[in-house]
Short mmCIF file of all heavy atoms in Angstrom, two decimals:
data_model
loop_
_atom_site.label_atom_id
_atom_site.label_comp_id
_atom_site.label_asym_id
_atom_site.label_seq_id
_atom_site.Cartn_x
_atom_site.Cartn_y
_atom_site.Cartn_z
N ASP W 207 125.02 192.75 -129.42
CA ASP W 207 125.64 193.98 -129.96
C ASP W 207 124.88 195.20 -129.33
O ASP W 207 123.95 195.01 -128.52
CB ASP W 207 125.71 194.02 -131.48
CG ASP W 207 126.87 194.85 -131.94
OD1 ASP W 207 128.00 194.70 -131.37
OD2 ASP W 207 126.75 195.70 -132.88
N CYS W 208 125.27 196.39 -129.71
CA CYS W 208 124.76 197.56 -128.98
C CYS W 208 123.41 198.09 -129.45
O CYS W 208 122.82 198.96 -128.84
CB CYS W 208 125.82 198.68 -128.95
SG CYS W 208 126.18 199.28 -130.56
N TRP W 209 122.91 197.56 -130.58
CA TRP W 209 121.66 198.07 -131.15
C TRP W 209 120.45 197.73 -130.25
O TRP W 209 119.42 198.37 -130.23
CB TRP W 209 121.35 197.50 -132.52
CG TRP W 209 121.14 196.01 -132.50
CD1 TRP W 209 122.12 195.05 -132.55
CD2 TRP W 209 119.91 195.30 -132.27
NE1 TRP W 209 121.56 193.80 -132.41
CE2 TRP W 209 120.19 193.95 -132.25
CE3 TRP W 209 118.59 195.74 -132.13
CZ2 TRP W 209 119.21 192.96 -132.09
CZ3 TRP W 209 117.56 194.77 -131.98
CH2 TRP W 209 117.91 193.40 -131.93
N HIS W 210 120.63 196.65 -129.45
CA HIS W 210 119.46 196.11 -128.73
C HIS W 210 119.15 196.97 -127.54
O HIS W 210 120.06 197.35 -126.75
CB HIS W 210 119.81 194.67 -128.27
CG HIS W 210 118.62 193.94 -127.83
ND1 HIS W 210 117.95 194.16 -126.62
CD2 HIS W 210 117.88 192.96 -128.46
CE1 HIS W 210 116.92 193.33 -126.54
NE2 HIS W 210 116.88 192.58 -127.62
N PRO W 211 117.88 197.41 -127.38
CA PRO W 211 117.54 198.32 -126.32
C PRO W 211 117.95 197.84 -124.92
O PRO W 211 118.27 198.65 -124.04
CB PRO W 211 116.00 198.41 -126.41
CG PRO W 211 115.57 197.70 -127.60
CD PRO W 211 116.77 197.01 -128.22
N ASP W 212 117.97 196.52 -124.68
CA ASP W 212 118.30 196.01 -123.35
C ASP W 212 119.83 195.79 -123.21
O ASP W 212 120.29 195.29 -122.17
CB ASP W 212 117.63 194.68 -123.09
CG ASP W 212 116.11 194.85 -123.11
OD1 ASP W 212 115.63 195.96 -122.95
OD2 ASP W 212 115.41 193.80 -123.35
N HIS W 213 120.61 195.99 -124.29
CA HIS W 213 122.04 195.73 -124.23
C HIS W 213 122.80 196.88 -124.86
O HIS W 213 123.45 196.69 -125.90
CB HIS W 213 122.37 194.45 -124.99
CG HIS W 213 121.67 193.23 -124.43
ND1 HIS W 213 120.39 192.94 -124.68
CD2 HIS W 213 122.12 192.27 -123.62
CE1 HIS W 213 120.05 191.88 -124.04
NE2 HIS W 213 121.09 191.41 -123.39
N ASP W 214 122.71 198.08 -124.28
CA ASP W 214 123.22 199.23 -124.99
C ASP W 214 124.76 199.30 -124.99
O ASP W 214 125.36 200.13 -125.70
CB ASP W 214 122.62 200.53 -124.48
CG ASP W 214 122.76 200.65 -122.98
OD1 ASP W 214 123.15 199.70 -122.34
OD2 ASP W 214 122.45 201.74 -122.47
N HIS W 215 125.41 198.44 -124.24
CA HIS W 215 126.88 198.33 -124.33
C HIS W 215 127.27 196.85 -124.45
O HIS W 215 126.75 195.99 -123.77
CB HIS W 215 127.61 198.88 -123.08
CG HIS W 215 127.50 200.35 -122.99
ND1 HIS W 215 128.22 201.20 -123.77
CD2 HIS W 215 126.75 201.15 -122.17
CE1 HIS W 215 127.91 202.47 -123.48
NE2 HIS W 215 126.99 202.44 -122.50
N VAL W 216 128.24 196.59 -125.36
CA VAL W 216 128.79 195.21 -125.39
C VAL W 216 129.91 195.21 -124.39
O VAL W 216 130.77 196.13 -124.40
CB VAL W 216 129.32 194.90 -126.78
CG1 VAL W 216 129.92 193.50 -126.82
CG2 VAL W 216 128.26 195.05 -127.85
N THR W 217 129.97 194.21 -123.54
CA THR W 217 131.14 194.11 -122.61
C THR W 217 131.78 192.73 -122.73
O THR W 217 131.05 191.73 -122.96
CB THR W 217 130.72 194.35 -121.15
OG1 THR W 217 129.87 193.26 -120.73
CG2 THR W 217 130.01 195.66 -120.92
N VAL W 218 133.10 192.71 -122.57
CA VAL W 218 133.80 191.44 -122.64
C VAL W 218 133.34 190.51 -121.49
O VAL W 218 133.19 189.34 -121.67
CB VAL W 218 135.33 191.69 -122.57
CG1 VAL W 218 136.09 190.39 -122.31
CG2 VAL W 218 135.80 192.32 -123.87
N GLU W 219 133.00 191.15 -120.35
CA GLU W 219 132.56 190.37 -119.20
C GLU W 219 131.30 189.55 -119.55
O GLU W 219 131.24 188.33 -119.29
CB GLU W 219 132.27 191.32 -118.04
CG GLU W 219 131.96 190.63 -116.75
CD GLU W 219 131.38 191.58 -115.71
OE1 GLU W 219 130.99 192.72 -116.06
OE2 GLU W 219 131.25 191.15 -114.53
N ALA W 220 130.34 190.20 -120.20
CA ALA W 220 129.10 189.51 -120.57
C ALA W 220 129.36 188.46 -121.62
O ALA W 220 128.83 187.37 -121.59
CB ALA W 220 128.06 190.51 -121.03
N ILE W 221 130.24 188.84 -122.58
CA ILE W 221 130.55 187.88 -123.66
C ILE W 221 131.24 186.64 -123.12
O ILE W 221 130.86 185.50 -123.43
CB ILE W 221 131.51 188.57 -124.74
CG1 ILE W 221 130.68 189.63 -125.49
CG2 ILE W 221 132.09 187.53 -125.64
CD1 ILE W 221 131.51 190.34 -126.52
N VAL W 222 132.22 186.80 -122.17
CA VAL W 222 132.92 185.65 -121.66
C VAL W 222 132.00 184.71 -120.90
O VAL W 222 132.12 183.50 -121.00
CB VAL W 222 134.13 186.12 -120.80
CG1 VAL W 222 134.69 184.99 -119.99
CG2 VAL W 222 135.17 186.83 -121.65
N LYS W 223 131.03 185.28 -120.25
CA LYS W 223 130.10 184.46 -119.45
C LYS W 223 129.34 183.49 -120.45
O LYS W 223 129.30 182.28 -120.21
CB LYS W 223 129.09 185.36 -118.73
CG LYS W 223 128.14 184.62 -117.83
CD LYS W 223 127.27 185.61 -117.04
CE LYS W 223 126.20 184.84 -116.27
NZ LYS W 223 125.18 184.28 -117.16
N VAL W 224 128.83 184.04 -121.51
CA VAL W 224 128.12 183.21 -122.49
C VAL W 224 129.07 182.28 -123.20
O VAL W 224 128.74 181.11 -123.48
CB VAL W 224 127.35 184.08 -123.50
CG1 VAL W 224 126.57 183.23 -124.50
CG2 VAL W 224 126.39 185.04 -122.78
#
Side-chain angles (χ1 to χ4, degrees):
D207 210 43
C208 61
W209 65 272
H210 196 284
D212 300 338
H213 299 79
D214 54 351
H215 289 286
V216 180
T217 65
V218 167
E219 188 192 12
I221 290 179
V222 167
K223 184 173 173 293
V224 181

